[in-house]
Every structure is written in structure tokens, then in C-alpha cells.
Amino acid sequence: MAEPLEFYFDFSSPYAYLASEQIDALAARYGRQVKWRPILLGVVFRATGSAPLTEIPLKGDYSRRDFDRSARFLGLPFRFPSKFPLPTQAAARAYYWLHQQDCAQARAFAHAVFRALFVHDRDISDTAVVTELAVQAGADPAALAAAIQSEEMKARLRQECDTAIARGVFGAPFIFIDGEPFWGADRLPQIERWLAHGAF
């Protein structure tokens, strides 16, 4: 079986949300799976000397317009969050813990987190919100709460961030297919061509 696509993202990235709603179906059309790998853009930005798009002069105004327009173009619901940017450590740790238990459960949780932030304007930096979304996906609340604070999950997330940076990840979404890196939700058409016809 061909290697899965690797989907690096931060739950606070609007473009990662747009990609998250498409990437599994895109990969499945070509017999591929997707490995979802949440990271922290704050850690990446410290390594690159960058900042969230919305905080960069000129780019900030454009990006807010483009988030809305891109969502409309794709037919996806979108509302820019009232709290942004925001930390996503709890959600990322919860994802990796859930993934150890049940991949499908973790994937359902990830979609719920993205939609909570970018459709329903919920504060996903709040551990209570993260726990609620995980419980809805089938998690045990006490075990999840302990996992979010565990040294094991903290170390796992640090490792994922370090690995991403070592591989050249500088933003989100960042997708690897057969070792080839693609940055941005707008690269999905190129990824589809790669899946359909091979390297170009």
C-alpha cells in the first residue's frame, strides 16, 4: 500500500481548517490514507521569526478577507473567531492521546475542534471545551483530562513540533506526499494531480 499523506496543522489555522474538510476524501479517491499531525504554530514561528498572518501589517487585512472568500469558494461554513490567535496545546495533546486509543475517534475529535472554532466560535484553548468535544467523540473525561496534563503527552507534542521543524514545516497546513512538501490549502489541486499521475 502507498504511504499515507502527512497533514501537519495547528487547530488555530483557518487554512488548515479548510484543508481538513477536504483532505481525507481527496486521498481516499486515490486509495491513500492521511496521517494527521497537529503541531503548534507558535513554536514554528519562533523558529522562523514569523507571526500569525493576522498580526502582520497589510497581510493581516488581506488574510481575513481571504479566509472568508476561500470558505465561500469551497462551500464551507466559516466564521472568524472572536478569540484569535489562541493556544491549542490542550487540543493537540488530546488528539494524540485519542489517536493512541482509536484513530477514528481522534479524527472525529479533530473535525469537531476545527468546527467548534471556525464555525461555532468556541474557545478551544479552554480545556473544558476540549474535554466536552472529546467526550462527544467517545472519550472518557477523567482519563482525557489526566492525559492532557501528562508529561507523556506534553513530550509527544514537543517531539511532533521538533520533527515538523526538522522536516522544514514553516506553516499550516503543510502536507507531505511521497516526501514532497506542499504548503497551503490552495495546494490541494497540485496534490490531487500528484496522486492521479505521479510526480511532476
Side-chain angles (χ1 to χ4, degrees):
M1 178 179 286
E3 288 295 310
L5 282 66
E6 293 180 87
F7 173 42
Y8 282 93
F9 64 92
D10 186 311
F11 282 112
S12 70
S13 165
Y15 290 125
Y17 157 65
L18 298 180
S20 75
E21 294 286 342
Q22 307 170 76
I23 193 164
D24 284 332
L26 170 59
R29 286 199 293 273
Y30 300 94
R32 297 278 194 117
Q33 295 183 326
V34 183
K35 179 184 281 188
W36 287 40
R37 303 185 74 164
I39 56 171
L40 303 176
L41 280 179
V43 174
V44 173
F45 291 158
R46 284 197 295 274
T48 62
S50 188
L53 273 176
T54 53
E55 296 180 359
I56 299 174
L58 304 181
K59 284 186 178 181
D61 291 338
Y62 173 82
S63 65
R64 285 175 178 262
R65 185 185 192 101
D66 191 57
F67 298 152
D68 285 324
R69 182 178 59 214
S70 295
R72 291 196 305 271
F73 178 76
L74 294 168
L76 295 173
F78 178 83
R79 178 166 54 169
F80 190 77
S82 54
K83 182 177 181 178
F84 187 90
L86 76 177
T88 57
Q89 288 92 331
R93 291 175 197 159
Y95 174 86
Y96 283 119
W97 182 78
L98 287 166
H99 193 268
Q100 290 178 349
Q101 326 300 316
D102 185 316
C103 180
Q105 189 179 82
R107 191 65 48 88
F109 166 76
H111 280 298
V113 172
F114 270 127
R115 293 165 186 164
L117 179 61
F118 292 113
V119 178
H120 305 295
D121 193 19
R122 300 193 66 190
D123 181 0
I124 63 166
S125 68
D126 184 341
T127 303
V129 172
V130 171
T131 301
E132 177 191 331
L133 296 172
V135 169
Q136 289 173 0
D140 173 80
L144 179 86
I148 289 173
Q149 299 303 323
S150 72
E151 288 305 316
E152 178 188 1
M153 288 300 105
K154 290 178 182 180
R156 172 66 186 277
L157 183 54
R158 285 194 297 269
Q159 178 188 18
E160 291 288 344
C161 292
D162 291 345
T163 298
I165 292 169
R167 296 184 69 184
V169 173
F170 56 82
F174 210 98
I175 299 158
F176 287 93
I177 170 172
D178 303 329
E180 185 75 8
F182 294 87
W183 173 49
D186 57 348
R187 290 300 181 266
L188 291 181
Q190 290 189 24
I191 289 171
E192 180 154 25
R193 178 174 165 184
W194 190 288
L195 289 168
H197 304 293
F200 54 86

